[in-house]
Structures are given as structure tokens and as C-alpha cells.
């Protein structure tokens, strides 16, 4: 958590009234690097409430979107695409097996002096490149296939975190550590909260829009 005015860390302070505040960690004059800082301060209670609300909203939106994608994937059009991708996966795996065997046989040919060392090195590089290319294509197709699965799920680690904290009604340090990447304080009610999974969530929303467009 940092001050939006000077970039210094916000530190937790307890007032005489017993109320906790996050205050700018700059010096007493609230200066940093020659720039005047307003010395932002905000009640811990306010920040905690807004962080909890954002996390809860994030978790609900993720689970709702995940369910919606599974429902859309059950449509016959999407299942046809899933089966086509499944055939492509099988084709690539067979090709990978064939090239890998060729590379393995190549060493036997070299051991039996059927080919020279130079030929062995040359063809070994060729087969290695082919294997790498096939693996890359296979990764792409497998990732695409997952997006059409009737049992579609978000990334395992992300899902595990959501299911761990979905029922929580109070913000804890462990929950904040699991979800919050950074908080920038600009004022009493003005702060930016960036979640660890913001990028994944954006990708999930993009996938949802793609599915909706395909269904029209």
C-alpha cells in the first residue's frame, strides 16, 4: 500500500481514540524527493471494507462467468468445434510420436555406423526442431480445446483461492495476501486497488464475449 502523492509506503497508525488509520510514510513535513506531498491518510476500516467488497465481487463474477461459459459450451456448435480440436490433438500426438521415434532410431544408425557423425548431428537438429514445433502447436490446440469444454474451469490455482475464501465475510491478512497486488491511496475515499488476478479476469471476460458473439 503506497501513497498516491509521493509513492511512499502507507503505514498503520492508531489514534488516541483507538481508531486505526493508514498514513503516508513520508517525513514529518510530508516531502519526498523535493515534491510536496499531501500526507494522505485514510481509515483502515474504509479500506478493509472496500477491499473485501471488491474481492467478493470478483469471486462472484468469476464463478458466474465460469458457469455461463460451461453452459454456452454445451451448445452443439461448440461441441462440434471441441471434437474437431480433439481430432487435431490426436493427429499432433501421433506425429510427435513418429518424429520422436525417428530421432531415437537415428542414434542407432549412428552407433551402427550407417550414418556419419555429421549426418547424425544434422538430422538430430532437424528432428529436434520438428518436435519443438509440434509441441508448440499441440499446446495451442489443447488450450483452444479447453475453451470449448463442457466442463470448462478457470486455472486451478485461481479457482482454489476463490473456493477457499468464497464464504468469508471478513477481510483477513491471508485473504488480502491472496488477492491484493497493490493499493494506491489518493485521498480519503479515492484509492486504486489492483488484484493479483486482474489479467486472468480480463481474459475470462474476453472469452465470455467471444462465446456470446459465436452464439448470435
Amino acid at each position: 500500500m503506497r501513497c498516491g502523492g509521493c509513492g511512499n509506503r502507507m503505514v498503520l497508525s492508531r489514534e488516541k481514540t483507538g481508531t486505526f488509520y493508514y498514513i503516508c510514510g513520508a517525513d514529518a513535513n510530508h516531502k519526498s524527493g523535493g515534491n510536496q506531498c499531501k500526507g494522505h491518510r485514510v481509515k483502515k476500516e474504509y479500506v478493509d471494507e472496500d477491499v473485501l467488497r471488491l474481492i467478493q465481487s470478483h469471486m462472484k463474477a468469476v464463478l458466474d462467468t465460469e458457469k455461463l461459459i460451461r453452459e454456452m459450451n454445451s451448445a452443439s456448435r461448440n461441441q462440434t468445434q471441441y471434437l474437431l480440436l480433439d481430432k487435431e490433438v490426436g493427429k499432433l500426438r501421433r506425429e510427435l510420436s513418429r518424429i520422436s521415434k525417428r530421432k531415437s532410431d537415428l542414434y542407432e544408425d549412428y552407433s551402427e555406423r550407417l550414418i556419419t557423425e555429421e549426418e547424425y548431428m544434422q538430422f538430430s537438429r532437424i528432428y529436434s526442431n520438428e518436435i519443438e514445433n509440434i509441441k508448440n502447436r499441440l499446446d495451442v490446440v489443447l488450450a483452444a480445446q479447453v475453451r470449448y469444454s463442457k466442463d470448462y474451469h478457470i486455472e486451478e490455482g485461481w479457482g482454489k483461492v476463490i473456493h477457499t475464501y468464497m464464504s468469508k465475510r471478513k477481510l483477513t491478512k491471508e485473504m488480502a495476501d491472496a488477492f491484493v497486488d497493490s493499493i494506491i491511496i489518493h485521498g480519503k475515499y479515492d484509492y486504486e486497488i489492483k488484484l493479483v488476478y486482474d489479467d486472468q479476469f480480463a481474459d475470462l471476460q474476453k472469452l465470455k464475449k467471444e462465446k456470446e458473439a459465436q452464439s448470435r
Side-chain angles (χ1 to χ4, degrees), residues 5-192:
C6 65
N8 275 278
R9 283 187 176 278
M10 302 292 289
V11 296
L12 192 59
S13 174
R14 185 178 182 180
E15 304 288 291
K16 292 180 179 180
T17 58
T19 303
F20 284 94
Y21 283 85
Y22 288 113
I23 63 173
C24 175
D27 62 20
N29 294 321
H30 300 299
K31 290 182 179 180
S32 178
N35 297 320
Q36 187 70 32
C37 177
K38 296 179 180 179
H40 297 308
R41 55 186 273 132
V42 60
K43 275 188 178 181
K44 179 181 183 296
E45 177 187 358
Y46 294 163
V47 178
D48 287 359
E49 287 176 354
D50 285 343
V51 168
L52 178 61
R53 191 178 300 113
L54 179 62
I55 292 174
Q56 289 175 331
S57 174
H58 170 92
M59 292 190 292
K60 184 179 185 306
V62 169
L63 295 180
D64 287 347
T65 304
E66 184 184 51
K67 179 182 177 183
L68 180 60
I69 291 173
R70 282 200 297 270
E71 291 173 352
M72 288 189 286
N73 281 349
S74 296
S76 58
R77 180 188 304 175
N78 286 327
Q79 280 307 290
T80 298
Q81 184 63 32
Y82 180 88
L83 293 174
L84 288 173
L85 291 167
D86 195 50
K87 288 182 179 179
E88 181 67 14
V89 167
K91 179 182 175 182
L92 288 170
R93 283 176 172 163
R94 289 191 296 273
E95 182 71 4
L96 182 60
S97 178
R98 185 177 67 84
I99 300 298
S100 297
K101 187 176 185 308
R102 278 191 180 183
K103 186 178 179 183
S104 177
D105 292 344
L106 190 66
Y107 183 75
E108 292 182 16
D109 290 345
Y110 172 63
S111 299
E112 296 174 6
R113 299 182 182 278
L114 298 176
I115 58 174
T116 65
E117 181 179 359
E118 183 179 354
E119 289 174 324
Y120 169 73
M121 296 299 293
Q122 178 185 357
F123 284 108
S124 182
R125 282 195 297 271
I126 291 173
Y127 291 146
S128 292
N129 288 336
E130 288 186 17
I131 288 171
E132 186 65 26
N133 289 335
I134 293 172
K135 285 182 176 179
N136 289 337
R137 284 160 52 199
L138 184 58
D139 287 342
V140 170
V141 176
L142 285 170
Q145 188 184 33
V146 167
R147 295 159 73 95
Y148 284 92
S149 173
K150 288 190 293 185
D151 193 33
Y152 173 83
H153 289 286
I154 59 173
E155 183 264 328
E156 184 178 357
W158 185 18
K160 184 177 180 180
V161 170
I162 288 177
H163 286 290
T164 297
Y165 294 101
M166 190 64 198
S167 62
K168 304 299 181 184
R169 293 293 174 263
K170 183 177 181 181
L171 185 69
T172 64
K173 182 181 184 303
E174 291 75 21
M175 188 177 186
D177 288 343
F179 282 98
V180 180
D181 178 73
S182 63
I183 302 176
I184 308 298
I185 305 296
H186 295 290
K188 186 175 181 181
Y189 301 108
D190 181 15
Y191 28 88
E192 302 171 42

